Every structure is written in structure tokens, then in C-alpha cells.
Amino acid sequence: MRKVARMLNEFHYQMRRFIFVMFLGAVFVGVLTWLAFMFIGVEQSLLWGVLAGIASAIPYLGPFLVFIGSGAAAFIQFGSMDMAIAVSGASLVITSIQGYLLTPWLTSQVSSLNAVVIFIGLLFWGWLWGPVGLILATPILMMTKTLCDHVKNLQGLGELLGK
């Protein structure tokens, strides 16, 4: 029982840190999108910032939808393809910084998972369950790693999943 309790406490601790990292990434994307869109002159820039922050929680799909949506809205507002490209480009740059620099660095600080394993897990669970799988992939991998670390016969798999 104590071993199970330790395992659940470790999983709970890792999940809290992972959710905090996701929250920080969402705030980063939301605030920067709001400021960039306000600077460019996009109407409802605060709404776009909130939407971009929320959508950033869905890996790959969320930023793509904001990229397409903001470009379409900018084209409708400004009537110019140049402005649509500028707005979409700003969205792409912000989510790229968050997705390729900030989140991986913070996740590696709070998690003991291998980055390649996370990528493969995102591909697998995204293929299996779509957007829901993309959201749940990393927590499922964290839970699996914690379980493997605490079960003697699965420690080899735990090492494979780890850094």
C-alpha cells in the first residue's frame, strides 16, 4: 500500500507541475498574441489573445486553427492579403516560440520523460483519439513512466521512457 501511495503522490506531483507548465505556455501565447494583434491593429485583439491561449493547450491543432482563423479575420477586416499574412505570421511566430522553445524546456525541467518519447506519444495518441489524444498524451506517458519506475519488472521500460 505504501508503494502505491508513493507512486500516486509522485504522479500527482508531476501532473501538477505539467499543468502549471501548460498554464504558463497558455498565458505566454495569450498575452503575446493580444499585444501583437493590438500593435498590428486587429479588432478584438483581446479576444484573439484569449482564444490563442486556450487553443495552445491542444498541441499542433490549436495553433493551426488560430493561424487560419486569425488570417481569415485579418483578411476580412483589412481586405488585404499582406495584412492577413502579417497577422497569421505573428500568430505562427508566437506559437512557435511557445511550442518549440518555452514548453519543451519547461517540460524537460519538470518531467523525467524523453523528448522523443513525448513526440511519439503525441503522434500515437493524436492518431488514436484526435485532439483529445493530443491533450492526454503527455499525462498518459507520465503515468506510465511513474508506474514503470515503481514496478520491478517494468523498470527497463521506465528507463527507455526516461531521459
Side-chain angles (χ1 to χ4, degrees), residues 82 120 140 154:
D82 292 340
I120 292 170
I140 289 171
L154 297 176

mmCIF file of all heavy atoms in Angstrom, residues 82 120 140 154:
data_model
loop_
_atom_site.group_PDB
_atom_site.id
_atom_site.type_symbol
_atom_site.label_atom_id
_atom_site.label_comp_id
_atom_site.label_asym_id
_atom_site.label_seq_id
_atom_site.Cartn_x
_atom_site.Cartn_y
_atom_site.Cartn_z
ATOM 1 N N ASP A 82 -1.710 41.031 -47.638
ATOM 2 C CA ASP A 82 -0.494 41.346 -46.884
ATOM 3 C C ASP A 82 -0.764 41.405 -45.382
ATOM 4 O O ASP A 82 0.013 40.875 -44.587
ATOM 5 C CB ASP A 82 0.095 42.682 -47.346
ATOM 6 C CG ASP A 82 0.639 42.626 -48.753
ATOM 7 O OD1 ASP A 82 0.907 41.500 -49.243
ATOM 8 O OD2 ASP A 82 0.800 43.698 -49.363
ATOM 9 N N ILE A 120 6.621 10.795 -30.003
ATOM 10 C CA ILE A 120 5.987 9.568 -30.493
ATOM 11 C C ILE A 120 4.636 9.362 -29.818
ATOM 12 O O ILE A 120 3.661 8.959 -30.452
ATOM 13 C CB ILE A 120 6.918 8.358 -30.296
ATOM 14 C CG1 ILE A 120 8.136 8.486 -31.211
ATOM 15 C CG2 ILE A 120 6.193 7.045 -30.560
ATOM 16 C CD1 ILE A 120 9.239 7.490 -30.937
ATOM 17 N N ILE A 140 -0.577 10.696 -19.940
ATOM 18 C CA ILE A 140 -0.587 9.231 -20.002
ATOM 19 C C ILE A 140 0.841 8.700 -19.951
ATOM 20 O O ILE A 140 1.129 7.719 -19.256
ATOM 21 C CB ILE A 140 -1.322 8.741 -21.269
ATOM 22 C CG1 ILE A 140 -2.822 8.985 -21.148
ATOM 23 C CG2 ILE A 140 -1.043 7.264 -21.532
ATOM 24 C CD1 ILE A 140 -3.595 8.740 -22.428
ATOM 25 N N LEU A 154 9.061 -3.780 -14.692
ATOM 26 C CA LEU A 154 8.880 -2.784 -15.757
ATOM 27 C C LEU A 154 9.921 -1.671 -15.712
ATOM 28 O O LEU A 154 9.830 -0.715 -16.476
ATOM 29 C CB LEU A 154 7.482 -2.171 -15.647
ATOM 30 C CG LEU A 154 6.294 -3.121 -15.835
ATOM 31 C CD1 LEU A 154 4.991 -2.384 -15.592
ATOM 32 C CD2 LEU A 154 6.317 -3.723 -17.221
#
